[in-house]
Each structure stands twice: as structure tokens, then as C-alpha cells.
Amino acid sequence: MSAATETYYSVIRRQGITRRSFHKFCSLTATSLGLGPLAASRIANALETRPRVPVIWMHGLECTCCSESFIRSAHPLVKDAVLSMISLDYDDTIMAAAGHQAEAILEETRAKHKGKYLLAVEGNPPLNEGGMFCIDGGKPFVEKLRMMAEDAMAIIAWGACASWGCVQAAKPNPTQATPIDKVITNKPIIKVPGCPPIAEVMTGVVTFITTFGKLPELDRQGRPKMFYSQRIHDKCYRRPHFDAGQFVEKWDDEGARKGYCLYKMGCKGPTTYNACSTVRWNGGVSFPIQSGHGCIGCSEDGFWDKGSFYDRLTNIKQFGIEKNADQIGVAAAGAVGAAVAAHAAVTAVKRLASKREDAAKDH
Amino acid sequence: MMVLQTPNRFKLDNSGKRIVVDPLTRIEGHMRVEVNVDSDNVIRNAVSTGTMWRGIETILKGRDPRDAWAFTERICGVCTGTHALTSVRAVENALGITIPDNANSIRNIMQLCLQVHDHLVHFYHLHALDWVDIVSALKADPKATSALAQSVSSWPLSSPGYFKDLQIRLTKFVESGQLGPFKNGYWGHAAYKLPPEANLMAVAHYLEALDFQKEIVKIHTIYGGKNPHPNWLVGGVPCAINVDDVGAVSAINIERLNLVSSIIDRCIEFTEKVYLPDVVAIGSFYKDWLFGGGLSGKSVMSYGDIPEHANDFSAKSLKLPRGVIINGNLNEVLPIDHSDPAQIQEFVTHSWYKYADESKGLHPWDGVTEPNYQLGPKTKGTKTDIKELDEGGKYSWIKAPRWRGHAVEVGPLARYIVGYAQNEPEFKEPTEKLLKTLGLPVSALFSTLGRTAARALECEWAAHQMRYFQDKLVARIKAGDTSTANVEKWKPESWPKEAKGYGFTEAPRGALAHWIKIKDTRIDNYQCVVPTTWNGSPRDPKGNIGAFEASLMDTPMADPEKPLEILRTIHSFDPCLACSTH
Amino acid sequence: MIDSTPHAVAAEIAVDAARTDRSVERNVVYVYEAPVRLWHWINALAILVLGLTGYFIGSATPTVSGEASDNFLFGYIRFAHFAAGYVLAVSFLLRVYWAFMGNPHAKQIFFVPVWRRSWWGEVLHEIRWYAFLIDQPKKYVGHNPLAQLTMFFMYTVTVLFMIVTGFALYGEGAGHDSWQYKLFGWVFSIWPNSQDVHTWHHLGLWIIVTFAIVHIYVAIREDIMSRQSIISSMISGEREFRD
Ligand code: HEM
Ligand code: HEM
Ligand code: NFV
Ligand code: SF4
Ligand code: SF4
Ligand code: F3S
Ligand SMILES: [Mg+2]
């Protein structure tokens, strides 16, 4: 196999990139990584000789929209990513093999590429019922996941499912669907949240690893900083209307037609970290807010359980019937206010009574 | 009991060798198939199992009905949007909310866009490898391939040089030894019949379709903000229209309309010049492989969809056919009533759920979804390591829906059969034309091939319908109507204390409906009965088998260790397991 | 820390009076030193601004007309919130400093002597007084124990919470490389979805409003009922015992 193994270098040469520009690319890469000229030749060398990184893409409880999103990538085109940049050796959604032939690939990858393959996980394992809410090859998916994680170089957690739990983990989470980092604790995990994540963000993360030969820098929540360090709101083109105090008040009102801010319609852009307002969706065509609907916060932890997507303020279930912070506050302040008023009244009465008593005593 | 006659007239015999396919790949989600083959390797018993469940119906309880579309949309990212549309229709039906005409057009365009996209991706990326041998393409003569391509279509990407370049890339890819998704495929299997040139052409179109599919969905992106999982709205659509006033660039304007329009043109071109010709070209080599009919020749159902008139869901207004055909009687198309408790019912005798009385079915308004994972006594293996399932007990996460007790097939083929039976020229004529081109009788329709062909025909139909509704939308805007949402009953305070309703669509994979009960402005019960629930259903208490199981019956396998025929037929339904169990 | 038995109070009154050279006949104690008084009113003002602007940040103002570039209403509201937030935070820090530098009363709002049985007895006593079960309240130079309890939880802890969550939220806008995020970003390790931080920060508003209602009522009432100066104490700093 190794004799015929295609390298990144031969792949890009085949795509018409000259040797000169290949080396230019390598030295640019080295510079941008803050490395010296020696490193440039090492990068070039690595890319010339390294076979495509094997990727195992597994599916737990999910809806496959992350895969669907991935294939929407425009740069790189997904066909180039899959044919030339990585070696997608296992992905139940598109692979030719099934059954035993498919399972055999997992075993083979573990043995042959120990510690060298990327494990991409879409969806998450349920833990209830011995894991049998998601069965794969007759066994709980979680078993297969643990097995493949064991020898992986790193794990990519695709989407809200793998990163946070997503819709199946919304209350009451009947299957005990559990995010990847709660099941695998001894491997680097790159969370790429979103429901689904943006295609170019997904291919961006993968090609970052294959191009620069390292894992991306992650933020506090384990997300690549390059795509998840700013909120939708920070780069939203409707932001001037937010600052001006111009809001859509009702669907399809004048503000909606003028593209006013969707804050009052429940937009979660101010609390959502994602690249939608910059990279945008499907080749930069639009993103939720541009098409008139608020952001529902689909890349955020537990976004399903923060009350209605159309409410600005979150409902808080702990307070009996759901109430938002203002309703609770007004109720509490009102109750206290009433108590104060009552207290004041009693005080006044008592005071009057005792004055009379005093007066009576004086007589 | 080795041999068993089902009420829907299939003879099951589980005495032969048991073959297990798990995971069954190139579908959405997790699925397992077990079959018994006789000594001639012909399938005599088939068991299909949905092997995942998330509990979205349970999760929806107690939530705001206006949010339900987003939850149900996440039932599936492949048929993305159809659950959302079904959901907003259910809520609107329950609360008596009407939508403006423009919203109806935009919703139709989005639903049709899904049909086009989903069918195309299914054919090329999930189904093609059942018919196309990639490795054989290496042996093709690029010139002959070019000649073949040009003989079937005027699609411009067909020069010898084009195919030559592709072949070189493919050769290097294969020689690299890193076959990626094509690793361990059934290359060289006896069931592959295409000559190398047809294989090479198909591979070219596999890649072209992969590039093109991302363009199709931009229609969702424009009207719904993103794809997968565009945004919807109870009472209309969220994208406001403003073509010539201040702030028009923040809404649906002429540039957006033009973009949609040009994508529609490209959809029409691609389906006419690539997809359909490919189906004809490939189909002509598989004309004698007419297995996999299953229930299609017996019982099929289509709810109908794509309302011409906003808020009118009568059969007359729906552009996709509506009705049920039972026991092969094409002369009678029976009417459907989603609110009739005697018509649609779900059974769980063989499903991993619990009912108080499992001999009876429940209408979805009274539906119950309570998991109950237990295996039949004859299961081989353990609860967490299943070797062979016992189809006599519970064996699937899919419920068993029935229409008046009948197992039915749903999907593009069902729609075309119902349309054909109703003598709808839109469906009948292209079907007959295709059959004639291939030199096949009408009965050939009831097959794996028929399912695949109907999907292609429908894809082209849907592309043209998008054009129709886009033109309709533009005409209305021109006439001064830019309304996209009705907010009269947006506020929960305006709702009745209790309400119930249903919504339906024709999803890419078939008839889809949601039933909702609302109480005190919250969801009291929510039930989805989904296309793959119908097709992938396990047996019911009477023993009727569902469409998947029926379709595998009596199919000969060339090599039971390499289950290409099983994949081929199951794939022809375009199964979606996330949908089926939800 | 503060011994408030009547005997000790009397002793303190004498010392205070002597130090500040005020009339012993008026029976006055210098409780709230100038920095505390200044802080109190700045703080009250900042909280008024924060509460009002915070409420509008939460529910948004009615839409203004005209070009976006000509308007900045919401921007100003948020600016006022952040400015007042800084004032609150800085003055809170100074107040903490003063707790060490000032007189013993200056420490009162920063702790509750939960470990002291006698203190709880006095809390109970105050509760009975407010429940009209007792005719005469005890006299305290600083806050009475119940007030101290309320001050600590509904003011000190809550305001600290508001400052921490407020700056964490501010850090989101300022960016992940801002000092605010570096200092307070850990809040998002507790609540990974900042929507939750908003919710808690918002709930804090109502704790403070509730506190303010009770606080102002009690201040006025005590002024009238308890035969000791209360409101004027926060202006002059002196507490006068009227009998
Ligand atoms: C007593 C003190 C405070 C009160 C009552 C208060 C109140 C509020 C309220 C009600 C909100 C709206 C929350 C929502 O629903 O999203 C808010 C938001 C906010 N507050 Fe405060 N706040 C206080 C202190 C502070 C401080 C000290 C800071 C620090 C600078 C701060 C910074 C913020 C920020 C950054 C926001 C979010 C603004 C936005 O999303 O546009 N707050 N505050
Ligand atoms: C008209 C408005 C107000 C009046 C008349 C007022 C009056 C007073 C008085 C008389 C005291 C001394 C209480 C005592 O000795 O037990 C005091 C203390 C205090 N007040 Fe206010 N207050 C007002 C508003 C506020 C507000 C809005 C806040 C903050 C939410 C506040 C926070 C405090 C705090 C924390 C103390 C304790 C100071 C310390 O011991 O260091 N006050 N106030
Ligand atoms: N079955 C199904 Fe769907 C479709 N088409 C939904 O309704 O795929 Ni996910
Ligand atoms: S994260 Fe969302 S989009 Fe991705 S698989 Fe999960 S539900 Fe689907
Ligand atoms: S539309 Fe949403 S993200 Fe954009 S400015 Fe308004 S609140 Fe922020
Ligand atoms: S809903 Fe999701 S797609 Fe982007 S704009 Fe919001 S994060
Ligand atoms: Mg259901």
C-alpha cells in the first residue's frame, strides 16, 4: 500500500499547482505559524511524503444534517476534500461498504493507523438502556465510539449533538444522550458546534489540521477560536438598527421589511458564538437573520431549553409554571411592595392606637 | 413454525441461512437487515430493524407550539425542512391560522427544492454505487464514454478530454491505496452490469452532482436563512418582501428573486440533461433485474402536497396526488382523512414501545410513545450484543403504522402510482414515456428500478413546479401583494384553552404527517408518523409485513456474503432511520 | 465584631461623642463616615441608572424612526448601563477598601456573624419587632442584625454577583482578548451558554429592586418609629438617639 500512497504534495501537484508555488505556500505557512525558513522546508517535506490523513466519521444519535452541511462546502469543494485532502475511510452515510465489510474497516484502521487517524463524530451516544437507543452492529454505539477513540489522534465533535447533546438531549433527554467529551475524556476534542455547523467551518477545521499539521487553538469551551470567538451579534449587519433602537415589532411589519433588528422577536445573536454573520451560509448567500428569522442560538449549549425561540427573555422552569426573569421579578417586587404597604398600614394603626393610649394615660 | 403466510400475502420461511447486514450503510441513520436465504440464495424471510430512537415526541411535550417546527426539523437533516413545514401546518390547523398566498408559494418552493435536492443526492451519492462499479470505470475508453454521453444527452461536459482527465484523477486515487469511502466496496460483484464507459460517465456525474447539490439548496438559504435546517414560521414565512422601498436590500428583493430563478433554471437543466438520462442509461442495463416490488404492486398511499391555493388542502388544490390504493386495485383510489381515528393507527406489538393494550393500534392524536426495550425469546446473543433478532418478539425502534389495518408503501413511486391511477397526465405521461424508452411494461414499475425511476421523474417535475411557484410569487408581488405572514394569532393569549390539529406533507420519502394537541398554550401531545415509519415498519399484530421487508422477498443473491442486492432494494426506498423513529 | 449590647452602645456613644466633640446631650453617634455616605448616594444613583437601563436592555425600547445612522438610542442606553456599571464596580472596590480603613460600622455589610448564637437571638428579636410582637426595638449604632443580614445577602452578595456577571457579559462584547473577559470569562465555565448569564444577571435586578423597596421603607419607618435618626444618618453620618 505504502508504495502507491498518494501524498498531499502529489495531490496538489495534480491539481495544477507548481512546485514553486508549493514551496511558496510552505514558507508562507511557516511564517504565519511564526516559524523560521528551516521549518518551511520541513513542512514541504512533510507534505510531500505524508499520506492523506485517515478520517473515521461515526454517527450516533443525530439527524445527519452535519454530513449534509459538510457536503455543501464550496471552498474547498467537498469532492476535493474527500478525494485529495483526507482519506475518509469510514462514514456510514456515504461509504460503499456495508455490514461486515464496513466493520472490517474500523478494525483495520485501528491497527494500521494507530494514533494517526482523526475520529470525527456526528451525533452522540445515548447511555440509557445500556446504550441500545443507538445500536450499531448489534451493539451499543457507545462501545464502538470508545473503541475508535482509543487509538485516535484527536476527535472532532461535529455539531451541537456531539458538542453539547442537542435536540435529543433536550429535557427530559429520554435516552440520556451524552456529548462526546462526557464519554471520552483522554483525547483532544475539537468541538465544532452548530445545528448544523457551517460547511466551510467544517472543512476549514479539517483542512487546518491537514494543512498545518496541528490542531487548532481552542477556546474555553473547546471550540476553534478562529471560528467561534465572536458572537453573531458582534458582526451582524443589522447591528446599526440594534444600536439605534430600531426593532422588528411584529412579523412582516415595516421594520421587518426594512431589515430592522430582530432582538424583540427573540434573536439569540447576542448570546451565540458562531461564524454565521461573517462566513454566512451556503457559499455566503445568507444566514438566518438576513432571511428574516432571529438566530435561535443553534451553536450554543442547551439552546433547546432556554425558553421559546421567540422570547427575548428565557423562561425559568424552576418557578413553577414557566416565567421569565421580569415576570418573576415583578411578582416578587410586587409581593414585597404589597407586604410593605400592609406593614406600613399596620404600623400606622398601631402607632395611632398607642398614641391614644398615651394620651389616655396622660389624662 | 418455519413457513408462514402473512395476511398481505407473503410467504415467509425462516428455515434457511440467516444473513445479517448491520450497519446498513448509505442511508440516513442506523438500520439493520436480517434475511433468510434458501439453498439457491433466494431471500425467503426478511427482517428490517430501526436501530435508533431519540424521543423527540416526548421532548416536545410542554413546549411552545410555535417552536415545534425547529424541534421536528431536527428529526432529520436530510429531508430538512419537511418536518418543519408539516409542524407549522399542524399548529396552524389546530389554531385556525391562515397564511398569505406568498407564504404558500415560498413554502412550496422550499418543499420542492428539498425534493429536487434530496432525490438528486439520493440517486448519485446514496444509491448509484449499487449499480455503478467505480473500479471498472478505470478500464473505460474516454472516447467511447464521450460518445455514450453525447448519445444520451446534450449536457456539455462530455468531451473525451473531460472523461480522460477524470479517469486520470480516478486512477491516481485508486493507486494511492487510500480508497476512502470506496474502500471495501463490492467492486467486481456479479450483480454489476454496466460497461466501463457507463461506469465512468456515472462517476463523472457523481462528482458533478456533488458540486451541484450545494447550489440547489441556496433557495433554502435565501428564503430560510440556511441549509440544512432553514427557518420557518407559524403563520407564514419569516422572509419579508420589499422590492423597491427603503431597506429593500435587507429583505427578499429583485436580486434575491433573480438568484432563486437562476438556480431553478439550473435545476431544470440538470435533471433533464443529467439525472434522467443517467437513469435511462443505467436502467437500460438492468432491465431484467425487476425484483424488489414488495408492497408497491399492492398497497400504496400518498397524502398529496403542494397546495395551489393557500390554506386549501383538498385533493383538488394539491398538486401531488392524494389517496390510497389497496390490494393492487388501481381502479379505486380511496380518500384519506387524517382526523378519522379508524384510518391511521400505529401498532407497537413488534416495536420497542409500550401500550396498555398492544393488540390495538392508536390514532396519533391519542398516540403514546413510551420506550420498552426487550427482545424476543429466540434472539441469539444478549441484550447488548445481538447476533440474530427474533422477529416473533419486539425487534425495532420503528412503530408499525397502518391505514385501516393495511401496510402501505409510500414515496415517489407511491405518488406516481396514485397519480397514474387517477389518470393525472402530469404523472402518467412521463411514466409511460420512460417505460416506452426502456421498452418495459407498466408492471415493471412495481420494482426496485421503478422506485428509482419514479424518483427521477418526480425530481424533474419538482424542478418545473418550482419555476411555476416562483413565477406566481413574482406575479403577485408585481400586483402589489408583498404580505408574507399573518400575525393575528401569534400571541398565545389569543389561542383557545384546548385545540388539536394535524399537518401533512409529501416528504421526499413519502407521506408525512404530524398530529398535535395543545392545552393551555403548550403542547399536550405530539405525534409524527413518518414516511420511513410506514416503509420500514415491523410486523403488526396480524402479521402484515411492511414495505422494506416485503420488497426483499424472493430476491436472489449472487453472493450472500456481499449483500449488494439487499442494499440495492433497500436503498431504492431512500430509507431515513432518524425520521422513522424520531 | 460589633458589640451592640446596650452597655457597649452607651460606651461607644461616649467615645464617639468625645472624639467628634459633639453635644452629649443630643445623644449622637458618628456612624457613617463621609466616604460611606458619599459612596451610599453614588451607589444608589448608579443602581437607579443600572436598573432602569438594564430593564430596557432586557425588553428593548419601542422602535425609533429614521435612518439607523442618525439614531443611537439603544446604544446610549447600553452606554449608560456600562458607565454606571463601572461606577458601581469602582465605588464597590473603594467601599471594600474603606471597610478596612473606616470605623467598625464600615465592615458591617460585608459579613454576617452566623457563628454567633447571640447574634441569631437578636435577629429573632428584630423579626419579632417587625412582626409587631414587641413594643420597643433594641437600639443599634450601626445596622440592626436583621438589617445586616438583609444587607449582606440582598445587597453585598447580589451586587458582587451583578458586577461579576455584568463584566463577564461586557467581556463578550469587548472580545475574548479583552481584560474583562480574561478576568471574568470563567463565569462561562459555570454557564457555558451566555443566555443563562443574562437570565441570572436579569434576576439580580429584581433582587435589588426588592431590596430597595424594603430598604427604603424600613429606613423611613425606623426614622419615625424607632426613636433614632435613620435617614438623616445617611446624610449627616450621625445617628441620634431620641431618648
Ligand atoms: C445592580 C447592578 C446591575 C443591574 C440591576 C443590572 C441590570 C441589567 C439587566 C436587567 C440587564 C438585561 C439582561 C438581559 O435580560 O439580557 C443587564 C444587561 C447587562 N449588564 Fe447589567 N446590571 C447591573 C450591573 C452591571 C454591571 C456592574 C455591569 C458591568 C459593566 C453590567 C453589564 C451589563 C451588560 C454587558 C449587559 C448586557 C447588555 C447587552 O446584552 O446588550 N451590568 N443588566
Ligand atoms: C431614597 C433612597 C434611599 C434612602 C433614603 C436610603 C437610606 C439609607 C439609610 C438611612 C441607611 C442607613 C441604614 C441603617 O443605618 O440601617 C442606608 C444604608 C445603606 N443603603 Fe440606602 N438608602 C436609599 C437607597 C439605597 C439604594 C437604592 C441602595 C442600593 C440598592 C442602598 C444601599 C444601602 C446600603 C448597602 C446601605 C448600608 C451602608 C453601610 O452600612 O455601609 N440604599 N441607606
Ligand atoms: N422518512 C423520512 Fe424523511 C423524508 N423524506 C421525512 O419526513 O427523511 Ni429524513
Ligand atoms: S447537531 Fe443538529 S444538525 Fe447536527 S446532527 Fe445534530 S441535530 Fe443534526
Ligand atoms: S438581529 Fe440579532 S444579532 Fe443582529 S443585531 Fe439584532 S439582536 Fe443582534
Ligand atoms: S441559529 Fe444557528 S445558524 Fe447561525 S445565526 Fe444562529 S447560530
Ligand atoms: Mg411517531
Side-chain angles (χ1 to χ4, degrees):
Chain A
M1 176 192 162
S2 59
T5 292
E6 195 176 42
T7 66
Y8 191 82
Y9 172 66
S10 53
V11 165
I12 67 170
R13 276 305 294 273
R14 191 154 42 61
Q15 291 186 331
I17 291 162
T18 63
R19 182 157 183 91
R20 240 194 95 201
S21 51
F22 171 71
H23 277 277
K24 204 167 153 201
F25 162 80
C26 291
S27 59
L28 270 175
T29 305
T31 328
S32 72
L33 294 175
L35 308 168
L38 240 174
S41 66
R42 258 192 285 127
I43 289 176
N45 198 36
L47 293 179
E48 273 177 85
T49 52
R50 203 174 57 207
R52 291 168 6 246
V53 177
V55 176
I56 300 294
W57 187 312
M58 293 172 80
H59 298 250
L61 288 184
E62 40 80 321
C63 78
T64 309
C65 77
C66 294
S67 292
E68 284 283 352
S69 188
F70 190 76
I71 67 169
R72 311 286 192 264
S73 178
H75 49 274
L77 286 171
V78 71
K79 73 172 180 215
D80 293 335
V82 170
L83 292 181
S84 310
M85 294 170 176
I86 57 169
S87 187
L88 186 56
D89 292 343
Y90 184 98
D91 179 346
D92 13 336
T93 314
I94 60 164
M95 67 195 296
H100 304 302
Q101 288 83 4
E103 302 245 84
I105 296 173
L106 294 179
E107 288 298 336
E108 191 192 315
T109 305
R110 267 188 80 185
K112 216 167 177 176
H113 303 288
K114 199 176 168 76
K116 297 209 178 74
Y117 61 90
L118 272 176
L119 178 62
V121 188
E122 175 172 0
N124 52 29
L127 301 182
N128 271 352
E129 204 60 84
M132 296 301 269
F133 285 116
C134 186
I135 311 170
D136 200 328
K139 294 183 186 166
F141 165 70
V142 67
E143 244 176 55
K144 215 163 162 179
L145 173 69
R146 287 205 176 102
M147 174 185 96
M148 291 313 291
E150 197 62 43
D151 293 319
M153 163 175 82
I155 299 174
I156 304 180
W158 288 137
C161 288
S163 302
W164 312 124
C166 204
V167 68
Q168 59 268 22
K171 282 168 193 149
N173 190 356
T175 63
Q176 209 195 320
T178 309
I180 302 309
D181 63 343
K182 297 281 181 330
V183 178
I184 312 289
T185 48
N186 59 351
K187 289 282 160 175
I189 297 179
I190 304 156
K191 293 183 180 176
V192 187
C195 190
I198 300 169
E200 287 77 13
V201 166
M202 299 178 81
T203 50
V205 168
V206 171
T207 53
F208 180 94
I209 298 170
T210 56
T211 306
F212 299 125
K214 61 171 191 175
L215 302 181
E217 219 180 297
L218 306 181
D219 71 1
R220 194 184 294 277
Q221 324 265 20
R223 307 169 289 202
K225 278 187 181 168
M226 57 184 144
F227 295 119
Y228 292 92
S229 61
Q230 281 188 311
R231 301 167 301 171
I232 306 296
H233 189 60
D234 294 320
K235 293 278 157 71
C236 177
Y237 79 111
R238 299 195 185 206
R239 184 61 185 268
H241 292 296
F242 173 85
D243 289 329
Q246 297 179 318
F247 305 104
V248 175
E249 305 275 348
K250 280 194 303 216
W251 297 111
D252 200 25
D253 67 359
E254 196 180 311
R257 292 175 187 190
K258 285 185 173 166
Y260 283 2
C261 167
L262 291 157
Y263 195 63
K264 283 188 175 175
M265 307 315 284
C267 180
K268 303 291 181 287
T271 53
T272 303
Y273 287 86
N274 206 342
C276 307
S277 51
T278 40
V279 175
R280 303 203 182 192
W281 278 82
N282 307 103
V285 167
S286 186
F287 73 112
I289 291 163
Q290 187 175 345
S291 293
H293 197 284
C295 165
I296 64 171
C298 80
S299 53
E300 287 294 316
D301 184 23
F303 74 101
W304 298 103
D305 289 320
K306 306 295 169 214
S308 170
F309 298 124
Y310 302 103
D311 288 339
R312 168 55 200 109
L313 301 173
T314 301
N315 277 325
I316 305 157
K317 282 213 174 158
Q318 277 66 26
F319 293 88
I321 345 153
E322 288 169 58
K323 291 273 182 273
N324 69 37
D326 274 347
Q327 289 166 313
I328 291 163
V330 169
V336 169
V340 162
H343 198 268
V346 177
T347 306
V349 172
K350 278 235 167 184
R351 201 176 152 83
L352 218 65
S354 78
K355 269 205 180 129
R356 273 205 202 113
E357 235 168 75
D358 285 352
K361 257 188 228 152
D362 287 350
H363 281 291
Chain B
M1 196 196 355
M2 300 257 220
V3 183
L4 194 137
Q5 183 80 31
T6 74
N8 54 353
R9 283 173 274 174
F10 290 92
K11 200 176 94 187
L12 307 177
D13 178 353
N14 67 359
S15 59
K17 190 178 167 205
R18 189 88 155 187
I19 312 285
V20 178
V21 187
D22 185 1
L24 196 139
T25 52
R26 263 184 293 129
I27 56 164
E28 195 295 331
H30 300 268
M31 179 181 172
R32 175 185 182 99
V33 162
E34 298 186 13
V35 297
N36 293 89
V37 291
D38 65 15
S39 51
D40 297 325
N41 288 337
V42 176
I43 297 173
R44 296 303 180 194
N45 177 43
V47 179
S48 92
T49 297
T51 50
M52 63 186 286
W53 180 74
R54 287 166 297 161
I56 291 178
E57 289 164 348
T58 312
I59 289 163
L60 276 164
K61 280 196 180 168
R63 299 191 185 257
D64 190 325
R66 296 169 305 176
D67 292 341
W69 67 260
F71 286 80
T72 60
E73 186 169 57
R74 268 69 181 183
I75 287 174
C76 183
V78 177
C79 61
T80 184
T82 194
H83 284 283
L85 174 57
T86 311
S87 176
V88 294
R89 282 181 179 166
V91 175
E92 286 157 4
N93 176 264
L95 299 171
I97 297 172
T98 58
I99 63 164
D101 204 87
N102 290 334
N104 185 58
S105 292
I106 290 172
R107 286 179 178 187
N108 281 343
I109 294 165
M110 288 176 74
Q111 178 72 353
L112 291 158
C113 171
L114 168 67
Q115 299 274 14
V116 173
H117 179 270
D118 207 355
H119 287 357
L120 194 75
V121 169
H122 174 261
F123 178 68
Y124 285 103
H125 308 115
L126 304 180
H127 201 18
L129 299 181
D130 300 330
W131 315 96
V132 175
D133 183 338
I134 291 210
V135 176
S136 139
L138 301 183
K139 297 194 294 259
D141 170 10
K143 277 208 197 82
T145 310
S146 166
L148 169 70
Q150 289 171 3
S151 74
V152 295
S153 163
S154 63
W155 184 244
L157 292 174
S158 63
S159 69
Y162 176 73
F163 289 115
K164 174 115 197 124
D165 281 352
L166 172 71
Q167 200 179 35
I168 292 171
R169 186 171 188 187
L170 204 61
T171 307
K172 289 207 169 154
F173 179 80
V174 172
E175 281 173 356
S176 78
Q178 289 188 294
L179 275 186
F182 309 114
K183 194 179 168 118
N184 282 13
Y186 306 102
W187 320 126
H189 192 286
Y192 284 123
K193 301 283 186 220
L194 296 187
E197 286 70 27
N199 282 320
L200 183 58
M201 180 177 84
V203 172
H205 294 166
Y206 179 105
L207 295 176
E208 283 173 39
L210 195 53
D211 285 348
F212 181 56
Q213 54 85 27
K214 74 176 197 309
E215 303 300 310
I216 304 172
V217 300
K218 288 179 179 169
I219 293 175
H220 277 192
T221 319
I222 292 165
Y223 292 130
K226 76 197 240 262
N227 173 286
H229 296 337
N231 293 307
W232 300 75
L233 188 70
V234 166
V237 288
C239 55
I241 297 171
N242 177 354
V243 284
D244 62 357
D245 204 351
V246 177
V249 287
S250 290
I252 297 300
N253 58 27
I254 190 69
E255 178 267 341
R256 304 267 97 179
L257 292 170
N258 284 344
L259 183 46
V260 172
S261 213
S262 79
I263 296 167
I264 293 174
D265 287 343
R266 292 173 67 193
C267 288
I268 293 172
E269 196 187 10
F270 200 92
T271 52
E272 283 182 345
K273 292 193 176 164
V274 184
Y275 186 2
L276 266 174
D278 278 353
V279 168
V280 173
I282 295 173
S284 63
F285 290 97
Y286 287 98
K287 276 197 294 195
D288 49 359
W289 203 84
L290 290 175
F291 299 101
L295 289 185
S296 64
K298 297 185 157 81
S299 302
V300 293
M301 180 174 78
S302 172
Y303 291 160
D305 196 358
I306 315 298
E308 168 77 65
H309 309 291
N311 313 303
D312 181 356
F313 292 93
S314 65
K316 214 163 71 235
S317 165
L318 299 175
K319 296 202 132 194
L320 277 170
R322 178 173 174 83
V324 191
I325 290 169
I326 295 298
N327 293 333
N329 181 6
L330 292 173
N331 297 320
E332 193 181 10
V333 177
L334 302 162
I336 301 166
D337 180 355
H338 284 87
S339 63
D340 178 355
Q343 290 196 14
I344 294 160
Q345 295 182 333
E346 287 191 304
F347 295 85
V348 297
T349 333
H350 293 281
S351 312
W352 287 314
Y353 302 96
K354 210 186 320 206
Y355 279 1
D357 176 359
E358 296 190 359
S359 66
K360 295 212 173 70
L362 294 177
H363 182 263
W365 266 331
D366 304 312
V368 173
T369 306
E370 198 186 322
N372 176 25
Y373 178 69
Q374 55 173 58
L375 300 169
K378 290 191 197 131
T379 309
K380 292 201 183 136
T382 67
K383 258 193 123 163
T384 54
D385 185 5
I386 302 166
K387 306 285 186 213
E388 283 177 25
L389 282 160
D390 173 8
E391 62 270 29
K394 290 181 182 287
Y395 68 92
S396 179
W397 282 113
I398 307 179
K399 288 182 183 175
R402 296 292 181 259
W403 187 81
R404 292 199 192 277
H406 297 279
V408 298
E409 175 174 331
V410 299
L413 178 58
R415 292 191 276 260
Y416 269 68
I417 293 171
V418 174
Y420 193 101
Q422 288 170 334
N423 283 314
E424 289 285 346
E426 266 179 87
F427 302 104
K428 192 165 182 172
E429 282 165 15
T431 309
E432 284 182 334
K433 194 174 144 216
L434 181 69
L435 287 168
K436 214 172 118 203
T437 314
L438 289 170
L440 287 168
V442 178
S443 61
L445 217 49
F446 308 121
S447 66
T448 293
L449 215 60
R451 228 168 261 125
T452 302
R455 185 173 292 109
L457 290 175
E458 188 176 66
C459 189
E460 191 204 8
W461 176 86
H464 284 282
Q465 287 297 316
M466 277 202 285
R467 161 62 50 222
Y468 173 82
F469 282 103
Q470 179 69 10
D471 290 348
K472 189 174 172 186
L473 174 69
V474 171
R476 268 195 103 87
I477 296 173
K478 197 171 164 190
D481 176 10
T482 57
S483 154
T484 50
N486 167 8
V487 294
E488 272 166 39
K489 292 192 188 157
W490 176 252
K491 293 240 159 80
E493 299 87 74
S494 64
W495 304 345
K497 213 176 138 42
E498 284 188 45
K500 60 182 187 177
Y502 61 83
F504 62 85
T505 55
E506 278 298 327
R509 288 158 193 74
L512 167 67
H514 293 180
W515 284 258
I516 188 174
K517 273 189 176 171
I518 301 171
K519 198 174 162 189
D520 298 324
T521 78
R522 297 277 141 172
I523 294 170
D524 194 36
N525 196 11
Y526 202 104
Q527 291 284 321
C528 316
V529 184
V530 183
T532 306
T533 322
W534 288 98
N535 288 338
S537 106
R539 297 156 196 208
D540 60 35
K542 293 202 183 104
N544 289 301
I545 60 175
F548 284 180
E549 292 180 356
S551 69
L552 291 173
M553 294 302 298
D554 307 322
T555 305
M557 294 180 73
D559 176 1
E561 290 307 309
K562 293 184 177 159
L564 190 59
E565 296 87 351
I566 294 180
L567 294 179
R568 191 178 271 177
T569 289
I570 293 294
H571 286 159
S572 73
F573 287 93
D574 190 4
C576 176
L577 275 292
C579 270
S580 68
T581 62
H582 38 276
Chain C
M1 220 171 263
I2 297 199
D3 192 350
S4 42
T5 54
H7 181 77
V9 170
E12 213 174 325
I13 288 168
V15 175
D16 266 359
R19 193 187 67 206
T20 54
D21 195 23
R22 291 185 198 241
S23 152
V24 182
E25 288 91 35
R26 269 182 65 222
N27 206 1
V28 159
V29 198
Y30 188 50
V31 190
Y32 301 113
E33 296 151 297
V36 174
R37 283 175 280 142
L38 186 66
W39 162 78
H40 176 270
W41 295 112
I42 289 174
N43 170 70
L45 193 72
I47 285 186
L48 184 72
V49 174
L50 282 163
L52 280 173
T53 53
Y55 179 80
F56 282 117
I57 290 171
S59 43
T61 45
T63 291
V64 299
S65 55
E67 281 297 324
S69 50
D70 292 336
N71 291 286
F72 202 65
L73 178 63
F74 217 59
Y76 288 131
I77 289 176
R78 293 175 67 250
F79 176 76
H81 191 81
F82 306 150
Y86 270 99
V87 170
L88 181 80
V90 170
S91 64
F92 188 84
L93 280 180
L94 290 175
R95 182 68 183 77
V96 172
Y97 168 76
W98 194 252
F100 293 101
M101 305 310 288
N103 68 17
H105 310 301
K107 292 193 181 64
Q108 262 201 303
I109 60 167
F110 293 103
F111 78 104
V112 274
V114 283
W115 56 90
R116 222 188 283 152
R117 276 190 72 108
S118 62
W119 184 83
W120 284 108
E122 293 183 52
V123 170
L124 202 72
H125 186 271
E126 283 300 311
I127 292 174
R128 288 157 63 85
W129 150 242
Y130 284 109
F132 308 104
L133 299 172
I134 295 172
D135 282 347
Q136 286 295 313
K138 287 193 184 172
K139 294 198 180 72
Y140 296 97
V141 179
H143 302 298
N144 73 50
L146 185 59
Q148 189 183 4
L149 190 69
T150 322
M151 292 274 175
F152 179 75
F153 283 108
M154 290 185 75
Y155 177 82
T156 313
V157 171
T158 309
V159 161
L160 189 65
F161 177 81
M162 294 306 274
I163 291 171
V164 169
T165 51
F167 274 97
L169 292 175
Y170 191 88
E172 296 199 292
H176 281 186
D177 39 14
S178 65
W179 67 264
Q180 289 91 343
Y181 187 82
K182 289 204 175 93
L183 218 56
F184 295 99
W186 53 268
V187 169
F188 300 103
S189 298
I190 304 174
W191 295 287
N193 186 336
S194 97
Q195 176 82 10
D196 290 330
V197 181
H198 276 261
T199 302
W200 286 107
H201 189 75
H202 202 116
L203 277 169
L205 160 74
W206 293 105
I207 297 179
I208 288 176
V209 166
T210 309
F211 167 78
I213 293 172
V214 175
H215 171 65
I216 294 168
Y217 165 70
V218 173
I220 296 170
R221 181 178 186 275
E222 290 299 272
D223 215 41
I224 302 166
M225 297 289 292
S226 66
R227 315 212 38 78
Q228 46 191 300
S229 74
I230 298 286
I231 295 182
S232 56
S233 307
M234 232 345 130
I235 297 165
S236 64
E238 291 171 344
R239 173 140 302 163
E240 186 183 1
F241 294 91
R242 300 191 189 110
D243 46 28

